Amino acid sequence: LGLETMGSYGGTLYKTPNLDRLAAKGARFEHCYAQLICTPSRVQLMTGQYNVRNYTKFGLLPRGETTFAHKLKAEGYATCIAGKWQLGRQKDAPQHFGFDEALLWQHTRDGRTKIDGKRVDKRYENPILEKNGESLVYNDGEFAPDLMVDFILDFIKRKTEQPFLVYYPMILTHCPFVPTPHSEDWNPTSVGSPTHKGDKTYFGDMVEYVDHLVGKIEAELERHGLLENTYLIFTGDNGTDRNIVSMLNGQPFPGRKGSLSDGGTHVPLIVSRPGTVSAKVHNDLIDFSDFLPTFCEIAKSSTDGLTLDGTSFLPQLHGETGKPRKFVYCWYNRDMEPGKTQISARNQRYKLYGSGKLYDVPNDLQEKQPLATNSLTPEQVAIRGELQEVLNHYEQFDRLAQVIDGRR
C-alpha cells in the first residue's frame, strides 16, 4: 500500500487512527521509497543492497545473502517472522536466513489450492500456512492476518526478557480484495477467493484492518512495559494496486504497483519509540537498502565486510542530522529478461530514468510531462548530471546490461 492510504499523509478515504497516532507522536518520513513489487522489496530490505547487485529471480532470496535477521541473531536477539515469505521453498529457508520462528504463507507451497476444479487463493480466510516449515490447514473461520499477529503476540510474550526482532511482512493489503472479520459481510465459511483480484470494494476494509493489527501489536508491547524500549516501524512494500484509486490531499490518486512512478514506489514510513523518537516530520530520503544498517546500528552490530548501499537513519530518529542520502536508486527486472530492466535515480523532487526522461515529480505526480532538455534551468542541469552519475555508477553491477552490451 502506498502512502496515499494513510490519514497522516493526507489520505482521506480510509480510517487509520492507530497509525496516524503513531505518526503524530513519532517520526513520519515524507520520502520513503520501496521497490515496485514485493519480492524485490523484501530482497532489498533484508540485505541492504540494491537489486542490481543480488536479485536473481522472482520469489527467491539467494541463500548466500546475509540478512538483518542474521546480524541481530548474532547479537543475541530472538528472531521471528510472520506473514508472506515467497523467498525460497526449502523447508529450512526462514531459519537459514536467521529467523528462529516462522509462521508463513507461500513458504514451501504456493498458498493456493484447487476446490471443485477451481484454483482458490488461500492467503486470507481459512488459509493454508506453514509453521517452521510444517503445513497447517485452517477450516474453522480463521483469518490469516489474525493468526499471524497472534503468533507475533505470543512470541513477544515469551521473549520479554531478551532483545527480539519481529519481522511482519503482511499479506494485507495484497489482492485478492476480500472481506475482513470487521466487514459486514464477513463469511467465516469462505474457502477463499476464486479470482486473483477479488472485489476492490473491500480494499478499504483491508487497509483499516492493517491499522487494527498494528494497534494490537502496540498494545501488546505496552502490556509488557516494552513500548519505551522498542522501535515500532511501519512501512509499505510497494505502491497500491493499479485498480485502486484513493484520495490524497483531496485529489484522486491511482495506485501504480509495478510502476517506477510515485504511485508504485512512494510508501509510508512511520517509526515510534516513546521517549526516544520525538515527534517530527522528516524530509530525508529513505529507501529499503537503509533498513539493515539502521537495525545493525540499533543492535550495535558491525557491518564490516558487508556490501551495502544503504545508510542508517537511526541518527535522524534520535534528533540528529545523521548522513542523509542524496539519491534513491531503483533497478527493476521482475523476471530477469534482457531488455526489460527499468532504472531510475531521484531526489525529493526530480527523477531521472534510464531513458533520459527527467520529471519534476511533485508538480507532475503521474509523470506525464518530462522536462524538455533544452529548457532546463542551470540548477536542473546540475541535478540531472548528479542523477546520471548515479545511474552510471550502478551500471557496472547490472549483469543483464553487460550481457546485452557484449561485455561478457
Side-chain angles (χ1 to χ4, degrees):
L1 78 176
L3 87 174
E4 77 280 0
T5 60
M6 301 284 104
S8 56
Y9 283 90
T12 55
L13 273 190
Y14 322 113
K15 297 177 182 177
T16 53
N18 291 309
L19 284 160
D20 295 347
R21 178 172 40 79
L22 291 175
K25 70 179 184 180
R28 176 167 66 83
F29 287 85
E30 287 286 316
H31 289 282
C32 180
Y33 298 92
Q35 288 292 91
L36 289 62
I37 61 172
C38 55
T39 295
S41 280
R42 285 192 296 276
V43 170
Q44 186 166 316
L45 178 80
M46 294 172 70
T47 67
Q49 297 184 44
Y50 286 134
N51 286 173
V52 69
R53 296 184 189 270
N54 64 354
Y55 180 85
T56 57
K57 64 181 292 187
F58 184 79
L60 180 69
L61 177 61
R63 283 175 73 91
E65 294 298 316
T66 297
T67 72
F68 57 61
H70 285 134
K71 299 298 292 180
L72 271 62
K73 183 177 173 66
E75 297 298 328
Y77 279 64
T79 57
C80 166
I81 181 171
K84 186 178 183 181
W85 178 247
Q86 203 181 58
L87 293 173
R89 291 196 173 186
Q90 299 95 330
K91 184 176 180 179
D92 72 335
Q95 286 71 34
H96 173 84
F97 287 111
F99 295 101
D100 299 324
E101 302 181 30
L103 181 66
L104 300 166
W105 179 78
Q106 269 200 348
H107 175 187
T108 67
R109 301 175 294 179
D110 75 354
R112 301 175 178 91
T113 191
K114 277 193 175 182
I115 298 177
D116 297 330
K118 294 182 179 179
R119 198 161 183 256
V120 176
D121 192 289
K122 300 290 287 183
R123 81 182 77 194
Y124 288 123
E125 59 269 50
N126 297 303
I128 53 175
L129 306 176
E130 286 144 294
K131 181 178 180 180
N132 300 322
E134 301 298 331
S135 298
L136 298 172
V137 179
Y138 297 89
N139 293 300
D140 293 323
E142 296 91 347
F143 190 55
D146 286 331
L147 295 169
M148 291 162 177
V149 168
D150 287 345
F151 183 78
I152 289 169
L153 301 187
D154 177 69
F155 179 83
I156 291 172
K157 181 180 179 180
R158 290 185 286 108
K159 304 298 179 180
T160 56
E161 299 303 317
Q162 71 177 105
F164 61 80
L165 164 74
V166 171
Y167 177 35
Y168 178 26
M170 292 186 175
I171 52 176
L172 290 164
T173 56
H174 198 290
C175 65
F177 306 120
V178 297
T180 75
H182 288 177
S183 302
E184 291 184 1
D185 54 350
W186 160 249
N187 178 10
T189 67
S190 170
V191 297
S193 176
T195 65
H196 174 64
K197 287 295 185 182
D199 185 342
K200 67 180 181 180
T201 60
Y202 293 113
F203 178 76
D205 288 6
M206 296 171 84
V207 172
E208 293 177 8
Y209 212 78
V210 166
D211 186 79
H212 161 69
L213 295 175
V214 171
K216 287 188 68 173
I217 293 170
E218 183 194 23
E220 187 70 11
L221 293 171
E222 185 173 26
R223 184 175 299 113
H224 295 290
L226 297 174
L227 265 187
E228 295 183 355
N229 197 35
T230 306
Y231 293 91
L232 182 57
I233 303 169
F234 177 87
T235 188
D237 71 342
N238 49 244
T240 305
D241 197 283
R242 285 174 177 258
N243 69 341
I244 302 296
V245 179
S246 303
M247 295 294 292
L248 180 65
N249 298 317
Q251 299 295 321
F253 191 92
R256 296 282 292 163
K257 176 182 175 180
S259 161
L260 272 172
S261 68
D262 265 32
T265 59
H266 200 176
V267 294
L269 173 59
I270 297 166
V271 184
S272 175
R273 182 181 172 183
T276 298
V277 177
S278 58
K280 184 177 179 180
V281 176
H282 295 263
N283 287 307
D284 290 347
L285 292 168
I286 305 288
D287 71 29
F288 272 28
S289 67
D290 296 328
F291 285 84
L292 183 147
T294 301
F295 296 170
C296 285
E297 187 171 4
I298 289 172
K300 298 180 173 57
S301 173
S302 172
T303 57
D304 292 348
L306 294 181
T307 298
L308 294 177
D309 294 299
T311 302
S312 171
F313 55 88
L314 185 64
Q316 289 94 312
L317 298 179
H318 292 176
E320 303 164 12
T321 301
K323 297 179 180 178
R325 58 167 54 250
K326 296 181 179 179
F327 64 86
V328 163
Y329 172 78
C330 183
W331 181 98
Y332 174 74
N333 190 319
R334 183 193 188 278
D335 298 309
M336 298 297 284
E337 298 180 74
K340 296 294 183 67
T341 302
Q342 301 175 56
I343 59 172
S344 69
R346 68 166 300 156
N347 60 21
Q348 287 88 339
R349 180 171 177 179
Y350 295 101
K351 183 189 296 183
L352 178 66
Y353 285 88
S355 64
K357 292 181 178 180
L358 179 71
Y359 292 91
D360 181 354
V361 179
N363 294 306
D364 183 13
L365 280 177
Q366 306 306 322
E367 297 182 10
K368 295 181 178 180
Q369 295 293 330
L371 300 176
T373 303
N374 59 6
S375 64
L376 299 180
T377 67
E379 178 188 20
Q380 290 170 334
V381 170
I383 291 171
R384 181 192 181 104
E386 293 169 359
L387 296 177
Q388 185 62 54
E389 288 180 5
V390 173
L391 298 182
N392 294 344
H393 171 76
Y394 281 102
E395 185 181 10
Q396 65 185 299
F397 307 112
D398 189 339
R399 294 146 288 163
L400 291 175
Q402 292 166 10
V403 170
I404 292 170
D405 292 345
R407 293 198 293 265
R408 217 186 248 183

